[in-house]
Amino acid sequence: MKQIIELVKKKGYIFGELTLGETIEIAIDLNLRVSDVIIAEAVNHNSMTEEEVLDAVLNAFAHNLYAAEVGITSGSSFLLGRVPRELVSDEFANRLIEDDFINKVLVYTLAAQVGNHSCGLQPCAGTGDSCVYTGLYRALQETVKDKEELARAVAVMLKVGTIFRAGKTSTGCNMEGFGAGAASTAATLVELRHGSPEAMSKAVVLALSPTIGTPCTPRVMVSGLCATHIGGAVMIGNLAANLAMKTSIPVDVPVDVMIAMAAAVHPVSAQNIVPVVIQYMQPFFKTNLEVEHFIEEKVREQERAAIDETMASALEEARNLAKKANSIVKPFGEAVVGGSSQAVGSPTNTARIAHALAKGKIVGVKIELYPELFVRRGINVPGILMAAVLGAGTDNGKAYKEIMDEVREEKIKIEIVQAEEPQMQRITVYATEQNSMVEALNRGGARLVLQNASPSLEDARFAAQRLGIVLVD
């Protein structure tokens, strides 16, 4: 304890304000478990003994454990029905996953949600992540017999959870059941399995990545959907912990940066994604007829008309997607080196068309990329240049590796700039006989939308067709 206090002071950190990254850093420097630092922080910040902290951590779940018990016994949810009861019957005969421990975590997590709808749940960032924490706690309680080890794991869980509680400012499952639940599960499982502090940092980053921007509130008015949010948090957290502990997977993002990004994206998602989700999900919202009685008939008529319009529009959108879909006998596009069909494939194909339109010896290439692609230039510029200079296809791994040296040797002038128009990629090829330019919008799967071209848009379309490049509207 003393060495932790001294190092925290030396680094200028403050007990009660330690970030997860700082907590892990202290543990690494002192060759301690992360839980050692978390408990020491609680002891010093709250003027408690270590034993009092461990007791408080475990006792914090009293109500939520009761809610989970309701969820697997007498409770029923308007969204999940009696699913947990079905899963615990005959000693967990109906399994969600073969791993006994993770299966229990999943079932008890769903039970906590049913209990939430029956008798309420104490929220952390929200009630979604409290479902995950409660499910994980109950499974730990049945598995870990040593009180101190149990409290250590739970302390790690709550350290992560309380940081997300501070970061949740609006609606969004990225900072609640899905995001906070996945991050906390990952950290807890690393602690439980005696992983290193470095592994915990990696695990939280890996767990957070797929949860960024995920909305929540509209879905918790729709039957069933919340189950895969809170259950998915458990699965992703377990995967992240195993990857971090059992492999040498490279993870460069500091854990504090990942958490800060999740918090920053959170209100943006609420403002921009949630309204779209509401539009499509509102027809399936569970309603309360006694409440609807107080809503003006004119308002309800407007809602019904909007719902009818959305349903018709969604069906038409689905038909258009099915119409544009490839046959299952030829589902894939050309292979793309560089790791991303959107970040590399689409701009590379734009450059292939520009190469086909140019004439003579190529002396220069200008690359203009919208911000998302500009920051990913380390992987897409080699692809663009191999296509613009050599006419190489997206699958040419040899050219992708060698093109930067070739460009330098041939003294080809290269200009790379950021464009502001969303999704825009413009490739200009300078050649001794005829320059060319192709401007396109980026689409996934290495596809693109042609917007403008020189010498002509018609020539560009013909070149794309000849090269087998897929153009979309």
Side-chain angles (χ1 to χ4, degrees):
M1 185 75 70
K2 183 180 178 182
Q3 59 182 338
I4 296 174
I5 295 171
E6 290 175 350
L7 187 56
V8 167
K9 289 181 178 178
K10 182 179 178 181
K11 288 179 175 288
Y13 299 157
I14 302 172
F15 280 127
E17 300 179 16
L18 291 181
T19 69
L20 185 59
E22 290 168 350
T23 304
I24 290 171
E25 178 191 325
I26 296 291
I28 292 171
D29 289 351
L30 296 177
N31 195 28
L32 296 172
R33 296 170 67 176
V34 176
S35 59
D36 287 323
V37 183
I38 291 171
I39 292 167
E41 180 183 28
V43 167
N44 281 268
H45 182 63
N46 296 286
S47 300
M48 298 169 70
T49 67
E50 185 173 333
E51 185 68 22
E52 287 172 337
V53 167
L54 297 181
D55 285 339
V57 162
L58 298 180
N59 293 337
F61 279 86
H63 174 79
N64 287 352
L65 285 174
Y66 166 73
E69 182 64 21
V70 170
I72 57 175
T73 53
S74 61
S76 178
S77 163
F78 64 106
L79 297 181
L80 299 181
R82 295 178 173 84
V83 165
R85 263 189 269 180
E86 297 171 12
L87 294 171
V88 298
S89 63
D90 297 327
E91 297 185 355
F92 297 91
N94 296 319
R95 305 181 68 82
L96 297 174
I97 188 172
E98 288 308 307
D99 183 296
D100 287 335
F101 176 72
I102 298 300
N103 187 68
K104 281 187 174 183
V105 177
L106 288 168
V107 174
Y108 295 152
T109 294
L110 297 177
Q113 181 68 301
V114 172
N116 181 32
H117 296 154
S118 302
C119 63
L121 202 68
Q122 287 185 304
C124 192
T127 52
D129 56 313
S130 285
C131 292
V132 179
Y133 308 155
T134 305
L136 185 50
Y137 181 99
R138 176 157 176 166
L140 285 169
Q141 214 179 22
E142 294 179 2
T143 306
V144 181
K145 300 308 178 184
D146 184 276
K147 175 187 171 183
E148 181 179 336
E149 283 301 303
L150 174 63
R152 281 177 174 274
V154 175
V156 170
M157 180 203 307
L158 294 180
K159 174 65 176 179
V160 178
T162 52
I163 289 172
F164 276 84
R165 178 176 172 82
K168 190 176 192 296
T169 58
S170 184
T171 180
C173 214
N174 68 307
M175 291 295 286
E176 191 183 333
F178 194 29
S184 295
T185 298
T188 303
L189 293 179
V190 171
E191 178 67 25
L192 177 69
R193 297 162 182 168
H194 290 260
S196 67
E198 293 91 343
M200 186 180 295
S201 180
K202 282 187 177 185
V204 173
V205 171
L206 290 171
L208 271 180
S209 182
T211 73
I212 300 296
T214 306
C216 178
T217 298
R219 290 193 178 98
V220 300
M221 292 290 289
V222 182
S223 296
L225 301 189
C226 195
T228 48
H229 276 230
I230 56 178
V234 174
M235 298 296 286
I236 288 174
N238 184 52
L239 171 61
N242 283 334
L243 281 170
M245 291 183 64
K246 298 180 180 182
T247 77
S248 59
I249 189 168
V251 178
D252 300 324
V253 182
V255 66
D256 287 341
V257 172
M258 202 69 177
I259 292 173
M261 179 175 70
V265 170
H266 177 58
V268 178
S269 171
Q271 294 166 15
N272 296 287
I273 299 177
V274 169
V276 177
V277 176
I278 289 175
Q279 178 188 350
Y280 282 86
M281 291 293 101
Q282 189 174 359
F284 311 103
F285 279 13
K286 291 294 184 181
T287 56
N288 185 325
L289 294 179
E290 292 181 355
V291 173
E292 293 301 298
H293 173 76
F294 297 101
I295 306 299
E296 291 184 10
E297 180 60 26
K298 181 180 179 181
V299 173
R300 284 189 285 170
E301 287 179 0
Q302 290 173 341
E303 287 186 341
R304 284 193 291 267
I307 286 170
D308 290 343
E309 183 180 344
T310 295
M311 294 296 290
S313 175
L315 179 58
E316 187 61 29
E317 290 169 16
R319 285 172 176 158
N320 286 335
L321 291 173
K323 182 179 179 181
K324 295 175 182 178
N326 286 1
S327 168
I328 61 171
V329 301
K330 193 176 180 182
F332 303 121
E334 295 294 326
V336 178
V337 296
S340 171
S341 64
Q342 182 163 0
V344 182
S346 183
T348 297
N349 278 337
T350 304
R352 290 174 68 198
I353 298 171
H355 175 87
L357 299 179
K359 293 181 180 179
K361 180 178 174 58
I362 293 173
V363 296
V365 178
K366 182 178 182 180
I367 301 170
E368 299 171 77
L369 301 171
Y370 70 97
E372 182 185 338
L373 287 199
F374 185 75
V375 298
R376 300 169 78 179
R377 57 189 178 270
I379 62 171
N380 58 44
V381 166
I384 293 168
L385 289 178
M386 75 178 184
V389 175
L390 306 175
T394 59
D395 61 347
N396 196 323
K398 184 174 185 293
Y400 185 86
K401 293 176 183 177
E402 298 175 354
I403 188 62
M404 301 309 297
D405 289 337
E406 186 166 341
V407 164
R408 281 192 297 271
E409 290 171 4
E410 295 294 325
K411 294 182 171 55
I412 297 172
K413 183 180 179 182
I414 307 298
E415 184 181 2
I416 306 169
V417 298
Q418 179 171 301
E420 296 307 318
E421 182 182 343
Q423 306 298 314
M424 200 278 287
Q425 51 206 18
R426 184 186 296 116
I427 311 300
T428 304
V429 175
Y430 301 99
T432 53
E433 297 178 31
Q434 178 174 284
N435 298 336
S436 66
M437 182 278 296
V438 176
E439 180 183 304
L441 297 179
N442 186 295
R443 294 295 182 265
R447 302 168 300 164
L448 48 90
V449 179
L450 279 179
Q451 285 204 133
N452 197 7
S454 175
S456 77
L457 199 54
E458 184 179 353
D459 287 341
R461 290 197 180 97
F462 178 76
Q465 183 179 17
R466 179 169 55 82
L467 292 168
I469 295 171
V470 178
L471 304 178
V472 294
D473 298 329

